[in-house]
Amino acid sequence: MEFLSLKASRFARAPIQILILAVLLSSVNPALADDTSSGYQLGHGYPLGDTGFALGGYASSHFEGLGKWPASLSISNLSLFVTWDNGGKLRFFSETEGENVLNAGGKRTLSATGANLHLERLYIDYLATDTLSVRIGKILTPVGQWNLIHVDPLVWTTTRPVATTNLFSDYATGVMLQGTVLVGERFLDYSVYSDYSSTLYPTINIDGRVFDNAQGLRLRYHVNDSLQLGLSYVDFALIDGSKIRNHLTGLDLAWSYRRFAVNGEFVYRNNAADVNQNAWQGYIQGVVPLTSSLYAVGRYEYFDWASNRDNRVVYKGLGQAEVLGIAYRPLPPLVFKLEYRTGNNNRELAPDGMFASCSVLF
Amino acid sequence: MRSLRTLIILVSTLTLLGFAAPNGAEESIAIVTQRTSDINNVSIETLKLVYLRKLLLDSNGTRWIPLNLPSAHELRQIFSFTLFKKRPDELEDYWNEQYFQGVTPPKVLASEEAILRFVAITPGAIGYVHQRNVDERVKVLKIMPISADN
């Protein structure tokens, strides 16, 4: 216990020393300090003087009421971002996340059981040319739109569409080449990546969603200021000992006009496995402003899925889910959401229930 | 009576001049960079990419340092609408998403004079000011007519 408190106090002092150093460094920085329109802005992080470092993160709290189960409330995520960019060709980003920090209700009383701290992302960018940068580290897998911005303050619903997470891993660890090029007068974002998760960031494979040896590509074309179309492809193995390759292709669209929005993603995965060889999943979601801060959100999802036990398929079929909810955004980085989800063949992947959340990007 | 008529003419003339001069000069935004820069012009598409922080290096490999005025500043509102057809607050969702990827918005300086001073001494810096405020400290890369929709 003493050891823990000693460790904790040392850990607590470290950020203070960093802050003092940052303040000293910023105080000796030249000129123009008075010209800077400084001031913290919610959702943009806190820059530590002119050191190039910035701290930020997000927090979210969830409420779930699932059918016959007692309702539960949790501080589900607390994340810390550290970014560094001093204006050179190297940049750094990391996200450390505390998950299920505090839970109440459900099957247990107030507790921190199930809380865990893990490295969500960590990467270094090298800006090679004006249209190419090289990213090395643990990244969000570039499949579709949702996975790349999946945190609560940035999406419209508390629940996540099955198609954005079920058929591929949320994360990859390896090397990615990326950039934006002009095609005529429009932009094309591209990323090409190669994953070596089992070597670089081995993790425990709980549900078969962890990549290994993946090679992928993502393109996003900005058709105009309101519409973007995306194409994703990835070929990967799973860390479950099998040699089976999976091939996943995805299409996505994002349209917005004033404060209306429509988003959709569709993925198809095939492999040579006995279970769920050919799986289609997708969703389409619409957002309509009701007042200056209140929005109505509706979503339809469908998903092929299979359940297996001892390598035998015990169920295979098509699930569907519909979500109807509202989101209140007094400020863009702060959002309160309430929604109801129902469907068919959805109990395993997207159960019926009432969901609510409060989240903030800071 | 004559002196009153003279006064009215004088006031009218000054008023007309007062309205005409700023209006004529405020019709354009000047995109400026350091005077010693090798870059001599910039396209609207490139400017968009620089200000969205999708294009981080110029053709010589120098980091672009895009500069903004405070979001409530009239010229910032005009620049944002002219370039993106969106007001600064309508771009907040974009910046929140970018921040989640580790990308921060352009640096904000308090005034046009601050932009001119910063650009004058900083390689790669790019900013915008009223055309009438441009002076010899900076190089003009582009003149953008202010959209009539503003």
Side-chain angles (χ1 to χ4, degrees):
Chain A
M1 198 63 188
E2 261 184 31
F3 169 73
L4 281 176
S5 60
L6 181 64
K7 214 173 156 185
S9 69
R10 277 181 184 163
F11 187 71
R13 275 203 302 269
I16 294 169
Q17 288 159 353
I18 292 169
L19 276 173
I20 291 169
L21 182 64
V23 170
L24 285 173
L25 284 170
S26 61
S27 66
V28 295
N29 213 291
L32 305 172
D34 291 342
D35 291 338
T36 305
S37 180
S38 57
Y40 171 73
Q41 188 176 349
L42 198 63
H44 290 182
Y46 185 79
L48 298 177
D50 288 335
T51 60
F53 280 100
L55 300 179
Y58 77 96
S60 66
S61 178
H62 279 201
F63 166 86
E64 290 184 357
L66 297 172
K68 63 184 179 183
W69 298 105
S72 66
L73 181 69
S74 64
I75 296 175
S76 50
N77 297 97
L78 190 57
S79 267
L80 173 69
F81 304 159
V82 178
T83 59
W84 176 76
D85 183 351
N86 75 341
K89 291 196 170 186
L90 284 177
R91 299 189 305 175
F92 168 85
F93 177 83
S94 78
E95 179 188 359
T96 308
E97 182 176 279
E99 209 170 31
N100 299 318
V101 179
L102 206 57
N103 300 283
K107 298 173 195 172
R108 61 171 84 92
T109 54
L110 182 67
S111 77
T113 311
N116 66 81
L117 188 70
H118 60 271
L119 187 65
E120 192 83 346
R121 290 178 289 163
L122 185 147
Y123 51 76
I124 291 172
D125 285 336
Y126 174 70
L127 308 176
T129 72
D130 54 347
T131 54
L132 171 68
S133 68
V134 182
R135 178 167 290 181
I136 299 174
K138 186 181 179 194
I139 59 174
L140 290 166
T141 310
V143 174
Q145 319 149 20
W146 195 293
N147 192 49
L148 294 172
I149 56 160
H150 65 267
V151 296
D152 282 320
L154 300 180
V155 294
W156 286 104
T157 57
T158 301
T159 55
R160 181 171 177 165
V162 172
T164 67
T165 188
N166 181 245
L167 296 177
F168 59 95
S169 165
D170 298 351
Y171 301 94
T173 306
V175 181
M176 180 163 77
L177 308 180
Q178 62 174 358
T180 299
V181 292
L182 279 170
V183 181
E185 294 184 351
R186 312 310 313 171
F187 314 146
L188 178 71
D189 302 324
Y190 72 89
S191 52
V192 182
Y193 56 98
S194 194
D195 163 84
Y196 311 98
S197 286
S198 62
T199 308
L200 296 174
Y201 196 79
T203 50
I204 299 167
N205 181 14
I206 298 167
D207 52 10
R209 290 192 296 116
V210 179
F211 274 156
D212 191 25
N213 191 19
Q215 280 81 44
L217 161 78
R218 173 159 171 77
L219 302 172
R220 191 176 203 206
Y221 182 64
H222 299 248
V223 179
N224 54 45
D225 290 337
S226 302
L227 178 65
Q228 293 97 47
L229 300 176
L231 169 70
S232 309
Y233 175 78
V234 59
D235 179 290
F236 61 99
L238 296 176
I239 313 176
D240 61 358
S242 70
K243 305 279 185 193
I244 295 167
R245 302 293 298 179
N246 296 264
H247 315 284
L248 182 138
T249 306
L251 289 172
D252 56 88
L253 69 92
W255 173 84
S256 62
Y257 179 70
R258 296 181 185 255
R259 290 160 54 229
F260 293 84
V262 174
N263 294 78
E265 296 187 35
F266 311 92
V267 290
Y268 168 71
R269 188 186 75 180
N270 78 310
N271 59 33
D274 295 332
V275 179
N276 218 13
Q277 288 181 349
N278 298 289
W280 285 92
Q281 295 182 347
Y283 78 89
I284 186 93
Q285 177 180 281
V287 177
V288 176
L290 300 176
T291 69
S292 60
S293 307
L294 191 65
Y295 298 80
V297 185
R299 185 172 70 228
Y300 169 76
E301 301 181 42
Y302 70 92
F303 40 88
D304 282 332
W305 68 284
S307 171
N308 64 314
R309 193 175 300 141
D310 302 327
N311 287 326
R312 284 186 307 109
V313 179
V314 293
Y315 176 80
K316 184 176 185 329
L318 176 71
Q320 296 178 77
E322 297 89 39
V323 176
L324 198 59
I326 53 171
Y328 174 62
R329 299 176 75 197
L331 298 166
L334 173 65
V335 57
F336 300 86
K337 300 174 222 166
L338 175 67
E339 71 213 44
Y340 181 71
R341 180 170 67 187
T342 184
N344 302 311
N345 286 329
N346 60 326
R347 197 175 61 180
E348 292 285 328
L349 297 182
D352 291 353
M354 185 70 84
F355 304 84
S357 65
C358 164
S359 56
V360 64
L361 194 66
F362 56 85
Chain B
M1 193 67 191
R2 212 168 114 179
S3 61
L4 182 63
R5 204 171 65 183
T6 310
L7 184 65
I8 290 170
I9 291 169
L10 185 64
V11 169
S12 304
T13 308
L14 286 173
T15 307
L16 280 173
L17 284 172
F19 274 111
N23 271 356
E26 281 178 11
E27 279 174 2
S28 296
I29 302 171
I31 309 302
V32 296
T33 193
Q34 194 178 28
R35 190 157 194 81
T36 54
S37 169
D38 293 337
I39 295 168
N40 295 315
N41 55 63
V42 63
S43 69
I44 288 290
E45 290 74 28
T46 300
L47 196 60
K48 278 186 185 179
L49 289 176
V50 170
Y51 268 87
L52 291 172
R53 302 212 63 201
K54 284 177 173 287
L55 188 61
L56 297 172
L57 299 177
D58 67 19
S59 51
N60 300 320
T62 305
R63 277 291 289 269
W64 284 113
I65 306 173
L67 303 171
N68 257 334
L69 290 163
S71 59
H73 196 288
E74 185 194 5
L75 188 60
R76 164 80 178 275
Q77 299 270 337
I78 293 170
F79 176 73
S80 179
F81 197 81
T82 303
L83 195 60
F84 300 115
K85 296 283 178 280
K86 288 180 179 172
R87 303 284 178 201
D89 58 317
E90 293 177 284
L91 289 167
E92 264 309 292
D93 285 347
Y94 173 81
W95 287 118
N96 287 335
E97 289 179 12
Q98 292 302 305
Y99 169 57
F100 181 63
Q101 309 292 339
V103 178
T104 50
K107 188 180 180 72
V108 175
L109 296 183
S111 65
E112 292 182 59
E113 175 57 25
I115 285 183
L116 291 169
R117 288 216 299 264
F118 191 96
V119 165
I121 62 168
T122 313
I126 182 168
Y128 53 88
V129 294
H130 281 110
Q131 187 182 4
R132 67 167 186 270
N133 290 334
V134 171
D135 59 29
E136 70 286 349
R137 287 174 292 176
V138 296
K139 177 195 282 188
V140 175
L141 295 179
K142 189 170 195 66
I143 299 294
M144 291 169 61
I146 292 174
S147 163
D149 299 339
N150 286 298

